[in-house]
Amino acid sequence: MLYGRSAESGTLDEVIARARAGHGGAAVLRGEAGAGKTALLDAAAGHGTDARVLRATGVEAEAGLAFAALHQLLWPVTGALDALPAPQRDAVRAALGLTGETAGDPYPLGAGVLSLLAEAAAPHGLICLIDDFQWVDRASAHALLFTARRLATERIALLFAVRGDTPVPGIPLTVQVGGLPHAAAAEMLRARHGVPSGVARDLIAATGANPLALDEIAARLSPAQLAGTAPLPDPLPGGARLFGDRVAALSPGAALLARVAAVEPEVGPALRATGLLHAEDSGRAGPLADAGRTALAELEEAGLAELHGARLRFRHPLIRSAVYEAAPRAGLRRVHTVLAQLTTGDRRAWHLASAAVGPDERVAAELVAAAERARERGGYGSAATALARAAELTPEPGPRAVRLKDAAVAAWLGGRPGQAESLLAEAREQPGTDTALALEIARLRGRFELNAGDATEAVRILSTGDSIGMLADAAEAASYAGDTAALIRLGRRAAAHPPGFLRDTVAGIGLALDGDPAGPGLLRRALAQARAGEPREAAEYLWAAAAAGQLGETDLAAGMAERAGRVARVSGMTGQLPVVLEFVATAERLAGRLASSRAVSEEGLALAREAGYPNTVAAHLANLAVVAALRGEQEDCERLAREALAIAVPHRVGLRAGVAGYARALLDLGLGRHAAAHERFTALTAAGPGATSPAVVWRIAPDHIEAALGAGEEAAAREVLAAYERSSAHATTPESRALLARCRGLAHSRAEDLAEALRLHTNTFEAARTALLLGERLRRARRPAEARGQLRRAAETFERAGAGPWARRARDELRAAGGGGPAPVPAVLDALTPQELRIAGLVAEGLSSKRIADRLFLSPRTVEYHLYKIYPKLGIGSRTELARLVVLRKAPVPEADRL
């Protein structure tokens, strides 16, 4: 029976009830040892009526074993694996050791855990209980938290119990489990031990009403002490270690088994090791199992441990602590040595490591092998732990540095950037590190800095290398920082390398920025190589996008970015997906697909936060701010821009800071505040590295010209045009020529240039921007009949895109031209949530629910749930109708996809 926990139980019952109704969620129970977290989990399991219950408990001895906790949780439901999409199924099987294949990336694994639990939840719901989360291995923890953040449409309640300050990121609901209310504590003492109120008051004051402490101490008091006729002992029995006296009272055999179980919870090896150690201590041979069984019976009778399947589980973690603290260090090492003889694989490696008393290359090598197995199964956090311990045991500084470096990479991939940086710093300090290793470590430092730190520092670090790979990384960092001078220097250095796609791109960008006529030729050659070679990696498409962007061809760059996104999703290298989605979201926004751009950025934002990539977080926030500006959502635009700048400015990521600043300027422009917009655009153009980027300055030029003219600053508009003409001198795609024609038409008041721009446009949204400007000019030239057609076209396009301010401006102009305003064109896709929009887009591509689940790291059941929400919102009833609707609402395919 639970005493005094109605509020905590009520909260958990609500989470479970919502999950059973199809609104899954997670909660964290947080409190000190003995507060009653496990009892609350037990009660929650019982309140789920016919819901299925799965359970796992973190064990300190298994914290280094990849997927140990996940194995506990999922083993009863592995029969449902065949229902999962193939990549998810294979990832889960690999993680659980059911196949020799590798899991590789954490996203398919996390999605696979979600899908498997969703299958287990049918038909009555599922309650997953994770006890002692502070000791759950990192690989399992990552997969479980990934799942917990995606339960909104599942019939799953995921409850974590954790001691102390161990973080459980991304779970907003936390239930603090402290001492019992005094009345409830007194009632528990009276009901269980007959303690009168006066004695109960003293015990409550001495224990902080911790229920375990109260129960254990009361059980050790004499009848007179319980009755209050004799004083309570001072100190109270148990003290800090409530179970110390009970552990000390065990027979030698039971104490030995307890010691073994403290480091090896699997009952088979534990009993065999106890038998061997007992025979060794007693000096006589005999049936090894007998000693273990006798000891196990004593532990169970004493209420200290119990068999739970194939595991020997202490009744409370503090019992294990008491056993461990009472054991001599040499005795524990001896236990580990024997267990190493009885176990294999990862368990053997960790037992050997725990038995080691100094550097030992043989043991270190076994840990490295364990790390490799963990890494192949997607357990990067566990691999990092094993490699770090292997480094400690490595005698020679050179191999030690290599293992620290590998541990840093695994920690980074496991979403622990702080640990990665610490390990890399330790690797740098190892004496005698060779030049090649030093450069490899420097490259990693630079990449870490670029993703999570100061972009200009990343440029400095990466510029120390001279390989084309490091020069390319340095150029990437310089582009993020907005450092033109560095890009030019790096381009000159890259030009000294043999020709090749990457060399031509990096050299071409630098030379083009420096005004060298060889630069554009190199970029054209790189793009030809990209087309001919059909890049297999997303990064290659992004470099092709950079080459196109430097040439002034935003439409081609956008097409390459979209291809990068498709490759990243299907290549099995989804760890780079948050970064790739920065560019995909931008491409969608430039195409005028605002709802799609927002959906992509929200997905990228969630993945970037999970991966620990703050600079990528800033990128997605900045793009969301621009989308909000185009939609006229002032408060959202300002908030998102502030959040992006709060990361980008101190990290000196000029590219993202510039985009966030652009969002504010574009908001002013869309709302007709031309003077404010011109002021913001001018400030962005004048800002230096770390605060903006030449790429941003170039891309905003058409908007800047429009704002300057609206503010009456004609000279400024022509100055911006001159710079834009120089940067677009080598652009040849129709869309790039259309934008240039529009800018000339505005700056020089030539309607024929605007008409030429309309003829050239391939981007429907930009065509609408030009049509609006031309229609305004025609109306002011007293040619209303011609103006009305252009303005109606613009208004309809803006309505479909959800660009409210621009649609209102077009409608107002149309009414002024005597058109009376167009019939509203409902932006039907705006009715969809970002998740629904992503699913609708993939349905239009012809993907099944399983394939969509695989692409978006969801369960197939979640996909089906969203489809049944989408149909009534759009007034349709089938996938075919949905696909037709999505295709009709999409802008024409960019030129890059017609190559």
Side-chain angles (χ1 to χ4, degrees), residues 562 565-566 569-570 588 596 837-848 851-852 855 879 882-884 886-887 890:
E562 290 175 354
R566 289 197 291 271
R569 287 193 188 277
V570 301
E588 290 292 288
S596 177
L837 187 63
R838 288 194 290 271
I839 290 170
L842 292 173
V843 167
E845 292 182 21
L847 272 64
S848 66
R851 290 189 64 197
I852 293 171
R855 288 277 189 94
R879 284 173 175 261
L882 177 58
R884 185 181 303 119
V886 171
V887 170
K890 273 200 145 187

Side-chain angles (χ1 to χ4, degrees), residues 193 246 296 635 669:
H193 304 285
R246 294 170 68 182
L296 175 59
E635 290 184 6
L669 179 61

Side-chain angles (χ1 to χ4, degrees), residues 755-846:
E756 173 66 6
L758 273 178
R759 186 185 69 80
L760 290 168
H761 272 303
T762 57
N763 181 312
T764 305
F765 190 80
E766 289 299 334
R769 293 278 305 271
T770 300
L772 172 60
L773 293 166
L774 178 58
E776 289 173 338
R777 188 165 298 280
L778 291 170
R779 185 184 72 78
R780 285 164 178 72
R782 302 184 184 281
R783 297 159 63 182
E786 296 174 70
R788 284 195 290 270
Q790 302 297 342
L791 294 170
R792 183 173 288 107
R793 169 187 177 182
E796 290 176 353
T797 300
F798 293 142
E799 291 276 7
R800 278 196 194 92
W806 304 90
R808 285 192 295 273
R809 177 174 154 187
R811 286 197 304 269
D812 290 346
E813 285 289 334
L814 183 58
R815 279 192 291 270
V825 179
V828 290
L829 296 183
D830 267 6
L832 304 184
T833 67
Q835 188 79 289
E836 290 168 349
L837 187 63
R838 288 194 290 271
I839 290 170
L842 292 173
V843 167
E845 292 182 21

Side-chain angles (χ1 to χ4, degrees), residues 437-447 461-462 464 470:
L437 180 58
L439 284 174
E440 190 176 355
I441 290 172
R443 188 176 187 183
L444 288 170
R445 285 179 58 221
R447 295 301 311 181
I461 295 169
L462 292 165
T464 59
M470 278 192 79

Side-chain angles (χ1 to χ4, degrees), residues 374-439:
R375 193 160 41 200
E376 289 176 350
R377 294 156 62 199
Y380 294 107
S382 299
T385 302
L387 285 165
R389 177 61 176 140
E392 292 176 2
L393 293 170
T394 302
E396 298 299 323
R400 188 184 310 129
V402 171
R403 286 162 180 172
L404 286 167
K405 178 263 299 181
D406 291 344
V409 173
W412 183 267
L413 293 173
R416 296 177 177 268
Q419 182 191 17
E421 290 170 11
S422 298
L423 289 165
L424 211 55
E426 189 177 349
R428 289 174 60 208
E429 294 169 0
Q430 297 302 310
T433 302
D434 61 55
T435 303
L437 180 58
L439 284 174

